[in-house]
Coordinates of all heavy atoms in Angstrom, one line a residue:
M1 N 0.9 -1.2 0.0 CA 0.0 0.0 0.0 C 0.9 1.2 0.0 O 1.8 1.3 0.8 CB -0.9 0.0 1.2 CG -1.8 1.2 1.4 SD -3.1 1.1 2.6 CE -2.2 0.9 4.1
P2 N 0.7 2.2 -0.9 CA 1.5 3.4 -1.0 C 1.2 4.3 0.2 O 0.1 4.3 0.8 CB 1.1 4.1 -2.3 CG -0.3 3.5 -2.5 CD -0.3 2.2 -2.0
K3 N 2.3 5.0 0.6 CA 2.2 5.9 1.8 C 1.4 7.1 1.3 O 1.7 7.6 0.2 CB 3.6 6.3 2.3 CG 4.2 5.1 3.0 CD 5.5 5.6 3.7 CE 5.2 6.5 4.8 NZ 5.1 6.0 6.1
P4 N 0.6 7.7 2.1 CA -0.1 9.0 1.7 C 0.9 10.1 1.6 O 1.9 10.1 2.2 CB -1.0 9.2 2.9 CG -0.7 8.3 4.0 CD 0.2 7.3 3.4
S5 N 0.6 11.0 0.7 CA 1.4 12.2 0.5 C 0.6 13.4 0.1 O -0.6 13.2 -0.3 CB 2.5 11.9 -0.5 OG 1.9 11.6 -1.8
G6 N 1.2 14.5 0.1 CA 0.5 15.7 -0.4 C -0.3 16.5 0.6 O -0.9 17.5 0.3
F7 N -0.2 16.1 1.9 CA -0.9 16.7 3.0 C 0.0 17.8 3.6 O 1.2 17.7 3.7 CB -1.3 15.7 4.1 CG -2.4 14.8 3.7 CD1 -2.1 13.6 3.2 CD2 -3.7 15.2 3.7 CE1 -3.1 12.7 2.8 CE2 -4.7 14.4 3.4 CZ -4.4 13.1 2.9
A8 N -0.7 18.9 4.1 CA 0.0 19.9 4.8 C -1.0 20.5 5.8 O -2.2 20.3 5.7 CB 0.5 21.0 3.9
Y9 N -0.5 21.1 6.9 CA -1.4 21.7 7.9 C -0.8 23.0 8.4 O 0.4 23.2 8.3 CB -1.6 20.7 9.0 CG -0.5 20.6 10.0 CD1 -0.4 21.3 11.2 CD2 0.5 19.6 9.8 CE1 0.6 21.2 12.1 CE2 1.5 19.5 10.7 CZ 1.6 20.3 11.8 OH 2.6 20.1 12.7
E10 N -1.7 23.8 8.8 CA -1.3 25.1 9.4 C -2.1 25.3 10.7 O -3.3 25.1 10.8 CB -1.7 26.3 8.5 CG -1.0 26.3 7.2 CD -1.5 27.4 6.3 OE1 -2.5 28.2 6.7 OE2 -1.0 27.6 5.2
A11 N -1.3 25.5 11.8 CA -1.9 25.8 13.1 C -2.1 27.3 13.3 O -1.1 28.0 13.1 CB -1.1 25.2 14.2
H12 N -3.3 27.8 13.5 CA -3.5 29.2 13.6 C -3.6 29.6 15.1 O -3.9 28.8 16.0 CB -4.8 29.5 12.9 CG -4.7 29.3 11.4 ND1 -4.3 30.3 10.6 CD2 -5.0 28.2 10.7 CE1 -4.3 29.9 9.3 NE2 -4.7 28.6 9.4
P13 N -3.3 30.9 15.4 CA -3.3 31.4 16.8 C -4.7 31.2 17.5 O -4.7 31.1 18.7 CB -3.0 32.9 16.6 CG -2.3 33.0 15.3 CD -2.9 31.9 14.4
D14 N -5.8 31.2 16.7 CA -7.1 31.0 17.4 C -7.4 29.6 17.8 O -8.5 29.3 18.3 CB -8.2 31.6 16.5 CG -8.3 30.8 15.2 OD1 -7.5 29.9 14.9 OD2 -9.2 31.1 14.4
G15 N -6.4 28.7 17.6 CA -6.6 27.3 18.0 C -7.1 26.4 16.9 O -7.2 25.2 17.1
T16 N -7.4 26.9 15.7 CA -7.8 26.0 14.6 C -6.6 25.5 13.8 O -5.6 26.0 13.8 CB -8.7 26.8 13.6 OG1 -8.0 27.8 13.0 CG2 -10.0 27.3 14.3
V17 N -6.9 24.3 13.2 CA -5.9 23.7 12.4 C -6.5 23.5 11.0 O -7.6 22.8 10.9 CB -5.4 22.4 13.0 CG1 -4.4 21.7 12.0 CG2 -4.7 22.6 14.3
H18 N -5.9 23.9 10.0 CA -6.4 23.8 8.6 C -5.5 22.7 7.9 O -4.3 22.9 7.9 CB -6.3 25.1 7.8 CG -7.1 26.1 8.3 ND1 -7.9 27.0 7.5 CD2 -7.4 26.5 9.6 CE1 -8.5 27.8 8.2 NE2 -8.3 27.6 9.5
I19 N -6.1 21.6 7.4 CA -5.4 20.6 6.8 C -5.7 20.7 5.3 O -6.9 20.7 4.9 CB -5.8 19.2 7.3 CG1 -5.4 19.1 8.8 CG2 -5.0 18.1 6.5 CD1 -5.9 17.8 9.4
T20 N -4.7 20.7 4.4 CA -4.9 20.7 3.0 C -4.3 19.5 2.4 O -3.4 18.8 2.9 CB -4.2 22.0 2.4 OG1 -2.8 21.9 2.7 CG2 -4.8 23.2 2.9
H21 N -4.8 19.1 1.2 CA -4.3 18.0 0.4 C -4.1 18.5 -1.0 O -5.0 18.9 -1.7 CB -5.3 16.8 0.4 CG -4.8 15.6 -0.2 ND1 -5.4 15.1 -1.3 CD2 -3.8 14.8 0.1 CE1 -4.7 14.0 -1.7 NE2 -3.7 13.8 -0.8
H22 N -2.8 18.5 -1.4 CA -2.4 19.1 -2.7 C -3.0 20.5 -2.9 O -3.5 20.9 -4.0 CB -2.9 18.2 -3.9 CG -2.2 16.8 -3.9 ND1 -0.9 16.7 -4.1 CD2 -2.7 15.6 -3.6 CE1 -0.6 15.4 -4.0 NE2 -1.7 14.7 -3.7
G23 N -2.9 21.3 -1.8 CA -3.2 22.7 -1.9 C -4.7 23.0 -1.7 O -5.1 24.2 -1.7
R24 N -5.5 22.0 -1.6 CA -7.0 22.2 -1.5 C -7.4 21.9 -0.1 O -6.9 20.9 0.5 CB -7.8 21.4 -2.5 CG -7.4 21.7 -3.9 CD -8.2 20.9 -4.9 NE -9.6 21.5 -4.9 CZ -10.6 20.9 -5.5 NH1 -10.4 19.8 -6.2 NH2 -11.7 21.5 -5.5
R25 N -8.3 22.7 0.5 CA -8.6 22.4 1.9 C -9.4 21.1 2.1 O -10.3 20.8 1.4 CB -9.5 23.6 2.4 CG -9.9 23.4 3.9 CD -10.7 24.5 4.4 NE -12.0 24.5 3.8 CZ -12.8 25.6 3.6 NH1 -12.3 26.7 4.0 NH2 -13.9 25.4 3.1
A26 N -8.9 20.3 3.0 CA -9.5 19.0 3.3 C -10.4 19.1 4.5 O -11.5 18.5 4.5 CB -8.4 17.9 3.5
T27 N -9.9 19.8 5.5 CA -10.7 19.9 6.7 C -10.2 21.0 7.6 O -9.1 21.4 7.5 CB -10.8 18.6 7.5 OG1 -11.8 18.6 8.5 CG2 -9.5 18.2 8.2
I28 N -11.0 21.4 8.6 CA -10.6 22.4 9.6 C -11.0 21.7 10.9 O -12.1 21.3 11.2 CB -11.4 23.7 9.4 CG1 -11.0 24.4 8.1 CG2 -11.0 24.6 10.6 CD1 -11.8 25.6 7.8
L29 N -10.0 21.7 11.8 CA -10.2 21.2 13.2 C -10.2 22.3 14.2 O -9.4 23.2 14.1 CB -9.0 20.2 13.5 CG -8.8 19.0 12.5 CD1 -7.6 18.2 12.9 CD2 -10.1 18.1 12.5
R30 N -11.1 22.2 15.1 CA -11.2 23.2 16.2 C -11.2 22.6 17.5 O -11.6 21.4 17.7 CB -12.5 24.0 16.0 CG -12.5 24.8 14.7 CD -13.9 25.5 14.6 NE -13.9 26.4 13.4 CZ -14.3 25.9 12.2 NH1 -14.7 24.7 12.0 NH2 -14.3 26.7 11.1
G31 N -10.8 23.4 18.5 CA -11.0 23.0 19.9 C -10.2 21.8 20.3 O -9.0 21.6 20.0
D32 N -10.8 20.8 21.0 CA -10.2 19.6 21.5 C -9.7 18.7 20.4 O -8.6 18.2 20.5 CB -11.2 18.8 22.3 CG -10.6 17.6 23.0 OD1 -9.5 17.8 23.5 OD2 -11.2 16.5 22.9
R33 N -10.4 18.7 19.3 CA -9.9 17.9 18.1 C -8.6 18.4 17.6 O -7.7 17.7 17.2 CB -11.0 17.8 17.0 CG -12.2 16.9 17.4 CD -13.3 16.9 16.3 NE -12.8 16.7 15.0 CZ -12.6 15.5 14.4 NH1 -12.9 14.5 15.0 NH2 -12.2 15.5 13.1
A34 N -8.5 19.7 17.5 CA -7.3 20.4 17.0 C -6.1 20.0 17.9 O -5.0 19.7 17.5 CB -7.5 21.9 16.8
A35 N -6.4 20.1 19.2 CA -5.3 19.8 20.2 C -4.9 18.4 20.1 O -3.7 18.1 20.2 CB -5.8 20.1 21.6
R36 N -5.8 17.4 20.0 CA -5.5 16.0 19.9 C -4.7 15.8 18.6 O -3.7 15.0 18.6 CB -6.7 15.1 19.9 CG -7.3 15.0 21.3 CD -8.4 14.1 21.3 NE -9.5 14.5 20.4 CZ -10.5 13.8 19.9 NH1 -10.5 12.5 20.2 NH2 -11.4 14.3 19.2
F37 N -5.1 16.4 17.5 CA -4.4 16.3 16.2 C -2.9 16.8 16.3 O -2.0 16.1 15.9 CB -5.1 17.1 15.1 CG -4.3 17.2 13.9 CD1 -4.2 16.1 13.0 CD2 -3.5 18.3 13.6 CE1 -3.4 16.2 11.8 CE2 -2.8 18.4 12.4 CZ -2.7 17.4 11.5
L38 N -2.7 17.9 16.9 CA -1.4 18.5 17.1 C -0.5 17.6 18.0 O 0.7 17.5 17.7 CB -1.4 19.9 17.6 CG -2.0 20.9 16.7 CD1 -2.2 22.3 17.4 CD2 -1.1 21.1 15.4
A39 N -1.1 16.9 18.9 CA -0.3 16.0 19.8 C 0.1 14.7 19.0 O 1.1 14.2 19.2 CB -1.1 15.6 21.0
E40 N -0.8 14.3 18.1 CA -0.5 13.1 17.3 C 0.3 13.3 16.1 O 1.0 12.3 15.6 CB -1.9 12.5 17.0 CG -1.8 11.1 16.4 CD -3.2 10.5 16.0 OE1 -4.2 11.0 16.5 OE2 -3.2 9.6 15.2
V41 N 0.3 14.4 15.5 CA 0.9 14.6 14.2 C 2.4 14.5 14.2 O 3.0 14.4 13.1 CB 0.5 16.0 13.6 CG1 1.2 17.2 14.2 CG2 0.6 16.0 12.1
T42 N 3.0 14.5 15.3 CA 4.5 14.4 15.4 C 5.0 13.0 15.0 O 6.2 12.8 14.7 CB 5.0 14.8 16.8 OG1 4.4 13.9 17.7 CG2 4.7 16.2 17.1
T43 N 4.2 12.0 15.1 CA 4.6 10.6 14.8 C 4.9 10.3 13.3 O 6.0 10.1 13.0 CB 3.6 9.6 15.4 OG1 2.4 9.8 14.8 CG2 3.5 9.7 16.9
D44 N 3.9 10.4 12.5 CA 4.0 10.2 11.1 C 3.0 11.2 10.4 O 1.9 10.9 10.2 CB 3.7 8.8 10.7 CG 3.9 8.5 9.2 OD1 4.3 9.5 8.5 OD2 3.6 7.4 8.7
P45 N 3.5 12.4 10.1 CA 2.5 13.5 9.7 C 1.6 13.1 8.5 O 0.4 13.4 8.6 CB 3.4 14.7 9.4 CG 4.7 14.4 10.1 CD 4.8 12.9 10.2
Q46 N 2.1 12.6 7.5 CA 1.3 12.3 6.3 C 0.2 11.3 6.6 O -0.9 11.4 6.2 CB 2.2 11.8 5.1 CG 3.1 12.9 4.6 CD 2.3 14.0 4.0 OE1 1.4 13.8 3.1 NE2 2.6 15.2 4.4
L47 N 0.6 10.2 7.3 CA -0.4 9.2 7.7 C -1.5 9.7 8.7 O -2.6 9.5 8.5 CB 0.3 8.0 8.3 CG -0.6 6.8 8.6 CD1 -1.3 6.3 7.4 CD2 0.2 5.7 9.3
V48 N -1.0 10.5 9.6 CA -1.9 11.1 10.6 C -2.9 12.0 9.9 O -4.1 12.0 10.1 CB -1.2 11.8 11.7 CG1 -2.1 12.6 12.6 CG2 -0.4 10.8 12.6
M49 N -2.4 12.9 9.0 CA -3.3 13.8 8.3 C -4.3 13.0 7.4 O -5.5 13.4 7.3 CB -2.5 14.8 7.5 CG -1.9 15.9 8.4 SD -1.0 17.1 7.5 CE 0.6 16.4 7.2
A50 N -3.8 11.9 6.8 CA -4.7 11.1 6.0 C -5.8 10.5 6.8 O -7.0 10.5 6.4 CB -3.9 10.0 5.2
R51 N -5.5 10.0 8.0 CA -6.5 9.4 8.9 C -7.5 10.5 9.3 O -8.7 10.2 9.3 CB -5.8 8.8 10.1 CG -5.4 7.4 9.9 CD -5.0 6.7 11.1 NE -4.3 7.4 12.1 CZ -4.9 7.9 13.2 NH1 -6.1 7.9 13.5 NH2 -4.1 8.6 14.1
W52 N -7.0 11.7 9.7 CA -7.9 12.7 10.3 C -8.8 13.2 9.2 O -9.9 13.7 9.5 CB -7.1 13.8 10.9 CG -6.7 13.4 12.3 CD1 -5.7 12.7 12.7 CD2 -7.4 13.9 13.5 NE1 -5.6 12.5 14.1 CE2 -6.7 13.3 14.6 CE3 -8.4 14.7 13.8 CZ2 -7.0 13.5 15.9 CZ3 -8.8 14.8 15.1 CH2 -8.1 14.3 16.2
T53 N -8.4 13.2 7.9 CA -9.3 13.7 6.9 C -10.2 12.6 6.3 O -11.1 12.9 5.5 CB -8.5 14.4 5.7 OG1 -7.6 13.4 5.2 CG2 -7.7 15.5 6.2
G54 N -9.9 11.4 6.6 CA -10.6 10.3 6.0 C -10.2 9.9 4.7 O -10.8 9.1 4.0
N55 N -9.0 10.4 4.2 CA -8.5 10.2 2.9 C -7.4 9.1 2.9 O -6.2 9.5 2.7 CB -8.0 11.5 2.3 CG -7.6 11.4 0.9 OD1 -7.8 10.3 0.3 ND2 -7.0 12.4 0.3
Y56 N -7.7 7.9 3.2 CA -6.8 6.9 3.2 C -7.4 5.5 2.9 O -8.6 5.4 3.1 CB -6.0 6.8 4.5 CG -6.9 6.3 5.7 CD1 -6.8 5.0 6.2 CD2 -7.7 7.2 6.3 CE1 -7.6 4.6 7.2 CE2 -8.5 6.8 7.4 CZ -8.4 5.5 7.8 OH -9.2 5.1 8.9
R57 N -6.7 4.6 2.4 CA -7.2 3.3 2.0 C -7.2 2.4 3.2 O -6.3 2.4 4.0 CB -6.4 2.7 0.9 CG -6.5 3.5 -0.4 CD -5.8 2.9 -1.5 NE -6.4 1.6 -1.9 CZ -7.2 1.5 -2.9 NH1 -7.5 2.5 -3.7 NH2 -7.7 0.3 -3.2
R58 N -8.2 1.6 3.4 CA -8.4 0.8 4.6 C -7.8 -0.6 4.4 O -7.8 -1.3 5.4 CB -9.8 0.8 5.0 CG -10.3 2.2 5.5 CD -11.7 2.4 5.3 NE -12.1 3.8 5.6 CZ -12.1 4.7 4.8 NH1 -11.7 4.5 3.5 NH2 -12.4 5.9 5.1
G59 N -7.4 -1.0 3.2 CA -6.9 -2.3 3.0 C -7.9 -3.4 2.7 O -7.5 -4.5 2.5
N60 N -9.2 -3.1 2.7 CA -10.2 -4.1 2.5 C -10.8 -4.0 1.2 O -11.8 -4.7 0.9 CB -11.2 -4.1 3.6 CG -12.0 -2.8 3.6 OD1 -11.7 -1.8 2.9 ND2 -13.1 -2.7 4.4
E61 N -10.3 -3.1 0.3 CA -11.0 -2.9 -1.0 C -10.9 -4.2 -1.9 O -11.9 -4.5 -2.5 CB -10.4 -1.7 -1.8 CG -10.7 -0.4 -1.2 CD -9.7 0.0 0.0 OE1 -8.8 -0.8 0.3 OE2 -9.9 1.0 0.6
R62 N -9.8 -4.9 -1.8 CA -9.7 -6.1 -2.7 C -10.6 -7.2 -2.1 O -11.2 -7.9 -2.9 CB -8.2 -6.5 -2.6 CG -8.0 -7.7 -3.6 CD -6.5 -8.0 -3.8 NE -5.9 -6.8 -4.4 CZ -4.6 -6.5 -4.3 NH1 -3.8 -7.4 -3.7 NH2 -4.1 -5.5 -4.8
T63 N -10.7 -7.3 -0.8 CA -11.6 -8.3 -0.2 C -13.0 -8.0 -0.6 O -13.8 -8.9 -0.9 CB -11.4 -8.3 1.3 OG1 -10.0 -8.5 1.6 CG2 -12.3 -9.4 2.0
A64 N -13.4 -6.7 -0.5 CA -14.8 -6.3 -0.8 C -15.1 -6.6 -2.2 O -16.3 -7.0 -2.6 CB -15.0 -4.9 -0.4
R65 N -14.2 -6.4 -3.1 CA -14.4 -6.5 -4.6 C -14.7 -8.0 -4.9 O -15.5 -8.3 -5.8 CB -13.2 -6.1 -5.3 CG -13.4 -6.1 -6.8 CD -12.2 -5.6 -7.6 NE -11.6 -4.5 -7.0 CZ -10.2 -4.4 -6.9 NH1 -9.5 -5.3 -7.3 NH2 -9.7 -3.3 -6.3
A66 N -14.1 -8.9 -4.1 CA -14.3 -10.4 -4.4 C -15.6 -10.9 -3.7 O -15.9 -12.1 -3.9 CB -13.1 -11.1 -3.9
H67 N -16.3 -10.1 -2.9 CA -17.4 -10.6 -2.2 C -18.6 -10.9 -3.2 O -18.7 -10.2 -4.2 CB -18.0 -9.6 -1.2 CG -19.0 -10.1 -0.3 ND1 -20.3 -10.1 -0.6 CD2 -18.9 -10.6 1.0 CE1 -21.0 -10.6 0.4 NE2 -20.2 -10.9 1.4
P68 N -19.3 -12.1 -3.0 CA -20.3 -12.4 -4.0 C -21.4 -11.3 -4.3 O -21.8 -11.2 -5.4 CB -21.0 -13.7 -3.4 CG -20.0 -14.2 -2.4 CD -19.2 -13.0 -2.0
R69 N -21.7 -10.6 -3.3 CA -22.7 -9.5 -3.5 C -22.2 -8.4 -4.5 O -22.9 -7.8 -5.1 CB -23.0 -8.8 -2.1 CG -23.9 -7.7 -2.2 CD -24.2 -7.1 -0.8 NE -22.9 -6.6 -0.2 CZ -22.5 -6.8 1.0 NH1 -23.3 -7.5 1.8 NH2 -21.4 -6.4 1.5
N70 N -20.9 -8.2 -4.5 CA -20.3 -7.2 -5.4 C -19.8 -7.7 -6.7 O -19.3 -6.9 -7.5 CB -19.1 -6.5 -4.6 CG -19.5 -5.9 -3.4 OD1 -20.7 -5.4 -3.3 ND2 -18.7 -5.8 -2.4
R71 N -20.0 -8.9 -7.0 CA -19.6 -9.5 -8.3 C -20.8 -9.2 -9.3 O -21.9 -9.2 -9.0 CB -19.4 -11.0 -8.2 CG -18.1 -11.3 -7.5 CD -17.9 -12.8 -7.5 NE -16.8 -13.1 -6.6 CZ -16.5 -14.3 -6.2 NH1 -17.2 -15.3 -6.6 NH2 -15.4 -14.4 -5.4
G72 N -20.4 -9.0 -10.5 CA -21.5 -8.9 -11.3 C -21.6 -8.6 -12.7 O -22.3 -8.2 -13.4

């Protein structure tokens, strides 16, 4: 599975965090969610931003494609 890329974030003085993906706004985090994000983003920034925006592959796409309900 390829590693996520193209994410960036900006922490603003008012406590909000803006996350962008390839220059386009993906999400804005405020309050407690912004604080939790900033604490977590130090580990693997690209993967963390992908998870927080919902823009990542979950690894089950191939399994779901082979399910009898999805064949057709």
Side-chain angles (χ1 to χ4, degrees):
M1 176 168 64
K3 290 188 65 96
S5 64
F7 288 98
Y9 74 95
E10 296 177 358
H12 294 269
D14 64 355
T16 62
V17 175
H18 296 221
I19 300 176
T20 59
H21 187 243
H22 295 294
R24 300 181 77 186
R25 184 176 67 207
T27 192
I28 298 175
L29 304 173
R30 294 179 178 86
D32 184 47
R33 288 176 47 87
R36 286 186 299 160
F37 169 79
L38 290 173
E40 187 179 344
V41 76
T42 58
T43 57
D44 184 2
Q46 292 295 309
L47 182 60
V48 170
M49 286 184 275
R51 276 195 316 101
W52 278 80
T53 60
N55 187 5
Y56 66 103
R57 295 182 68 98
R58 292 155 188 88
N60 63 350
E61 290 84 4
R62 189 170 296 159
T63 304
R65 189 178 318 134
H67 191 275
R69 178 182 58 227
N70 297 328
R71 291 185 187 165

